[in-house]
Amino acid sequence: MKLFEDKISSAASRVRIALALKGLGVERETIGILGADAINRTPEYLHVNPQGLVPALLTDEGVLLTQSLAIIEYLDERYREPPLLPEKLEDRAFARAVALAIAADIHPLLPPRVTARLGTIPGAGPQEIADWSRHWIRVGLTAVEELLARRQTGRYAAGDAPSMADICLFPQAVNAERAGLALDQWPRIAAVVAGLRAIPAFAENGPAPRT
Amino acid sequence: MKLFEDKISSAASRVRIALALKGLGVERETIGILGADAINRTPEYLHVNPQGLVPALLTDEGVLLTQSLAIIEYLDERYREPPLLPEKLEDRAFARAVALAIAADIHPLLPPRVTARLGTIPGAGPQEIADWSRHWIRVGLTAVEELLARRQTGRYAAGDAPSMADICLFPQAVNAERAGLALDQWPRIAAVVAGLRAIPAFAENGPAPRT
């Protein structure tokens, strides 16, 4: 397998964490997601992935998979151990809901291509863009904290083993801290993330800072 | 089961379509998502769902499920027929990738709470907000068209049976047309959507127009 990624992408970070949890080694290629048109689409990469986004995973059979959560579900269905979703249906739904509360309600409002577009609106300077990002992280992590308060049953977000929920939470929490938001305003998230930092698959595969 | 929804929400539309495809009748309650703070959170609904978002599904066991894709995965795991994902792993990954290319790359940039926030930026008037929405629909559906061009194998988005991919595509396509974007610029999407319009589970459960 070959992973196309960017070190700063939290979506790519999710797939790196999932691969590490499964103990799967893969070839890696870094694709820059900053630069012209907010995505540095080389012709070579566009040939592989017309969308130009990361992450993308090329399987051993030569099938290109895109979208971090679709890739993680694929890895979980193909390589069963350790499972990245709990066993009970309601618990699986909860883990996926936490994952999506981040991957669909927070992260899509923050990537370079979105903030770059925001910056084309007259009146949207660096301060407004930073406020925009912090607003959605704050609203979104508050929602995640409420989800955890309602149903968290173990030491991680969705049970006593790391799941897809933690895989999405960890990179977002790292980026929240970089955006100047202290995690202790969300005590359950802070406790889960502290636990995840002790797991090498997470600690070694977070998103790199934008330089 | 009880579905909390809003007729204009395309995320709620996805769950309605999934329920209809599975032939599951549920109690329904409409929650307004327009209005003050872009979400009309009544104390009664906040008691049920602290996030205040729709859709949410209350199971017969009294568990509240949130996030449309998590709900649809739950329905598909609990009520197996007809399946909402193809059988082969790579095909499942493709169906989920199309679903997420809409649910995580297009839709999150468009709901009322996001455009309302955009409107607080000086210089972002109704025209800029409309341009913003059309931009992300155009970029996103172009990406979906490219995905389909690479791997579409049947008459629907991910095979010869409607799947989670179609469930996400249909409401987004309906809203694209309402935003003034003709689907024929994406011939594969236009053909798929034309096929879906002939299926009552889709035709009867699309998102209502914002009035």
Side-chain angles (χ1 to χ4, degrees):
Chain A
M1 289 190 288
K2 180 171 178 178
L3 175 66
F4 299 92
E5 61 164 345
D6 185 297
K7 293 295 178 199
I8 70 164
S9 158
S10 40
S13 166
R14 294 174 200 147
V15 176
R16 284 200 306 271
I17 294 169
L19 288 164
L21 286 170
K22 295 280 187 189
L24 297 166
V26 298
E27 190 185 345
R28 289 162 191 229
E29 184 172 324
T30 296
I31 306 296
I33 59 171
L34 294 173
D37 202 22
I39 298 173
N40 183 11
R41 304 175 157 199
T42 64
E44 291 74 22
Y45 186 54
L46 282 179
H47 182 70
V48 176
N49 178 10
Q51 265 193 281
L53 300 177
V54 294
L57 185 76
L58 191 64
T59 70
D60 291 336
E61 294 78 23
V63 179
L64 189 80
L65 309 181
T66 56
Q67 293 289 338
S68 63
L69 290 185
I71 294 170
I72 293 167
E73 294 269 5
Y74 168 85
L75 292 172
D76 202 41
E77 291 180 344
R78 176 148 187 180
Y79 307 96
R80 297 278 176 174
E81 297 298 327
L84 301 180
L85 285 169
E87 208 177 308
K88 275 185 57 186
L89 295 191
E90 289 82 1
D91 296 338
R92 296 167 72 80
F94 180 72
R96 286 186 174 118
V98 172
L100 287 159
I102 295 157
D105 284 354
I106 305 177
H107 179 70
L109 295 154
L110 310 175
R113 64 181 192 146
V114 171
T115 52
R117 183 79 192 176
L118 193 61
T120 66
I121 294 174
Q127 185 59 49
E128 285 74 20
I129 292 172
D131 287 348
W132 166 275
S133 297
R134 270 193 296 267
H135 171 77
W136 293 116
I137 296 172
R138 200 181 291 116
V139 168
L141 289 183
T142 300
V144 170
E145 182 78 7
E146 287 166 349
L147 278 171
L148 296 184
R150 204 171 65 220
R151 206 183 153 82
Q152 190 186 15
T153 55
R155 57 191 299 218
Y156 300 116
D160 273 322
S163 73
M164 198 177 292
D166 304 290
I167 288 172
C168 288
L169 179 57
F170 186 78
Q172 189 62 69
V174 169
N175 280 335
E177 289 185 314
R178 283 195 191 122
L181 297 167
L183 293 187
D184 56 11
Q185 62 194 293
W186 303 289
R188 287 172 180 271
I189 291 174
V192 168
V193 171
L196 297 173
R197 279 193 215 279
I199 303 174
F202 286 84
E204 294 166 6
N205 290 296
R210 297 189 195 176
T211 49
Chain B
M1 290 190 289
K2 180 171 178 178
L3 176 66
F4 299 92
E5 62 163 345
D6 185 298
K7 293 294 178 202
I8 69 164
S9 159
S10 39
S13 166
R14 294 173 200 149
V15 175
R16 284 200 305 271
I17 294 168
L19 288 165
L21 286 169
K22 295 280 186 188
L24 296 166
V26 299
E27 190 185 345
R28 287 161 192 230
E29 183 172 326
T30 295
I31 306 296
I33 59 170
L34 293 173
D37 202 22
I39 297 172
N40 184 10
R41 303 174 158 201
T42 64
E44 290 74 22
Y45 186 54
L46 282 180
H47 181 72
V48 175
N49 179 10
Q51 265 192 282
L53 301 176
V54 293
L57 185 75
L58 191 64
T59 70
D60 291 336
E61 294 79 21
V63 178
L64 188 80
L65 309 181
T66 56
Q67 292 289 336
S68 63
L69 290 185
I71 294 170
I72 293 167
E73 295 268 6
Y74 168 86
L75 293 172
D76 202 40
E77 291 180 344
R78 177 148 186 179
Y79 306 96
R80 297 279 176 173
E81 295 300 328
L84 301 180
L85 285 169
E87 207 177 307
K88 274 186 58 185
L89 295 191
E90 289 82 2
D91 296 338
R92 296 167 71 81
F94 180 72
R96 287 187 173 116
V98 173
L100 286 159
I102 294 157
D105 284 353
I106 305 177
H107 179 71
L109 294 155
L110 309 176
R113 63 180 193 146
V114 171
T115 50
R117 183 79 193 175
L118 194 62
T120 66
I121 295 173
Q127 186 59 50
E128 285 74 20
I129 291 172
D131 287 348
W132 166 274
S133 297
R134 270 193 297 267
H135 171 76
W136 293 117
I137 297 171
R138 201 182 290 116
V139 168
L141 289 184
T142 299
V144 170
E145 182 78 6
E146 288 167 348
L147 277 171
L148 296 184
R150 204 171 65 220
R151 205 182 155 79
Q152 191 186 14
T153 55
R155 58 190 299 217
Y156 300 117
D160 272 323
S163 73
M164 198 177 293
D166 304 290
I167 288 172
C168 289
L169 179 57
F170 187 78
Q172 188 62 69
V174 169
N175 280 335
E177 288 184 317
R178 282 194 192 126
L181 297 167
L183 292 188
D184 57 11
Q185 62 194 295
W186 304 289
R188 288 173 180 271
I189 291 173
V192 168
V193 170
L196 297 173
R197 280 193 215 278
I199 303 174
F202 286 84
E204 294 166 6
N205 290 295
R210 294 188 198 178
T211 48

